Amino acid sequence: MRDAVIVEAVRTPMGRGKPSGALHGEHPADLLARTLQALIERAGIDPALVDDVIGGVVTQAGEQAVNLTRTAVLAAGFPESVPGMTVDRQCGSSQQALHIAAQGVQSGAYDIVVACGVESMSRVPMGSAVLPGSDPFGSMLARRYPDGLVPQGFSAELIAARWDLSREELDAYAYESHRRAAEAWKNGEFDREVAWAGARDETVRPDTSPEILAGLRPAYYDPAVAGRFPEIGWKVTAGNASPVNDGAAAVLVMGADTAERLGLRPRARFHSFAVVGDDPLLMLTAIIPATHKVLARGGLTLSDIDLFEVNEAFASVVLAWARETGADLSRVNVRGGAIALGHPLGASGARLMTTLLHALEDRDGRYGLQAMCEAGGMANATVVERL
């Protein structure tokens, strides 16, 4: 089968998802367009050669509606012949875009394709696609789950309870995320992947500590939910969960033969893929079976993987995953994760891949595994091999 390879990957710095954030003043289409421009400029290719641009966006409403990816392609100055498609697999949207791009190249449907993602949570708040008074789920789902599903914050609490994770463990993990991210910025480890010179991720807190994190109040306490789930210990806070962010990322994918023809250096190849569904009440645990599945499909074991990027939607999610898989946390999110760097929903899958690629290169690793939990109880997992 034809190899699909990564030639280039870039991202913006992650801005606070508030009106005071550094990226708030930029329309999401412009934010993605500038990222696409940076990607093509770094690769040094004619954008007319791109067969498709596939972008992840979660809240497809307001300024992020009407196929934002195509809008960004045109805004970036690409030829009008270059199409664009916007996909939604919730938090894994741009990781799913990577899967579509790579699988399209492997099948011969594409020669060159861009997988990307964007989310401006300061301008298009999470949940704003659901109209007031509307029901996005319908009666048949309600009959299947008569007690009702719950928002992600409660799912994170249920995970903490089921895996008996203490508040101290959650806060210690969050502190380590900030420490690693701050250290990575200090050492210049993000300089190659961030397209905006001199800009940094806004939500990294170098001065935080376990003591500061321990002083934060539970973010999701609700007496009705407490009555339904008495096992919940109310340990999830704003400090051990990912913040709200703005940002974009983009990855240039092509056939290995195409890269050779154009004189471009393949930096990694896509090795194996998985996408799974899991319990929609716990919602965020599908990264566990997704990891097992992608390793089995690739004929690999956990010990073969040099680095992991597992999205830190909540500390409880990554810690439960590590307990179930046996992964060594010293090889997980080595430059910090979403708790520190941020989680701009539709951009996060491409951001994780951008960080994973550069970290593999800098640490001389061979295999990297990326996994992303997603609303509705789903997860994507991807293994890449550095070349």
Side-chain angles (χ1 to χ4, degrees), residues 60-293:
Q60 296 181 27
E63 292 178 339
Q64 294 181 166
V66 198
N67 192 4
L68 177 63
T69 307
R70 170 63 172 171
T71 303
V73 167
L74 296 174
F78 285 23
E80 294 173 349
S81 59
V82 179
M85 173 175 67
T86 303
V87 298
D88 173 10
R89 200 187 283 278
Q90 295 294 280
C91 295
S93 293
S94 56
Q95 187 170 354
Q96 182 62 56
L98 282 162
H99 284 203
I100 296 170
Q103 291 160 2
V105 167
Q106 289 174 336
S107 72
Y110 296 133
D111 289 321
I112 301 175
V113 59
V114 174
C116 58
V118 66
E119 204 83 27
S120 180
M121 299 178 76
S122 68
R123 297 173 70 112
V124 187
M126 184 169 56
S128 58
V130 181
L131 297 176
S134 67
D135 172 13
F137 301 114
S139 61
M140 293 177 69
L141 185 75
R143 287 196 294 273
R144 180 170 183 178
Y145 301 99
D147 294 330
L149 301 176
V150 297
Q152 290 188 21
F154 300 132
S155 294
E157 288 281 12
L158 287 168
I159 291 168
R162 180 166 295 188
W163 273 269
D164 194 25
L165 299 167
S166 69
R167 171 70 185 269
E168 291 74 21
E169 288 177 286
L170 301 184
D171 288 345
Y173 182 86
Y175 167 71
E176 183 65 9
S177 182
H178 283 283
R179 190 197 67 78
R180 291 183 183 186
E183 190 73 12
W185 270 115
K186 179 182 176 182
N187 295 336
E189 294 174 20
F190 287 124
D191 291 350
R192 290 194 301 132
E193 70 182 65
V194 174
W196 272 241
R200 291 196 172 196
D201 302 305
E202 281 194 291
T203 49
V204 178
R205 295 174 180 156
D207 298 326
T208 195
S209 67
E211 293 75 23
I212 290 173
L213 292 167
L216 298 177
R217 300 175 63 181
Y220 297 102
Y221 176 75
D222 182 293
V225 177
R228 179 180 171 188
F229 302 108
E231 68 270 30
I232 288 180
W234 304 106
K235 304 166 187 174
V236 177
T237 72
N240 56 46
S242 58
V244 172
N245 295 87
D246 301 338
V251 180
L252 183 61
V253 180
M254 63 182 67
D257 54 337
T258 304
E260 182 178 7
R261 175 168 52 83
L262 295 175
L264 299 172
R265 179 175 70 88
R267 296 166 64 180
R269 75 177 183 96
F270 287 89
H271 186 276
S272 45
F273 313 90
V275 60
V276 305
D278 201 17
D279 181 354
L281 180 64
L282 289 177
M283 193 184 302
L284 310 171
T285 56
I287 54 173
I288 297 166
T291 297
H292 293 314
K293 186 173 183 179

Side-chain angles (χ1 to χ4, degrees), residues 310-334:
V310 181
N311 193 44
E312 293 173 359
F314 300 90
S316 61
V317 173
V318 184
L319 290 174
W321 168 86
R323 286 217 187 149
E324 290 297 315
T325 61
D328 178 358
L329 285 172
S330 69
R331 293 186 286 137
V332 179
N333 301 345
V334 293

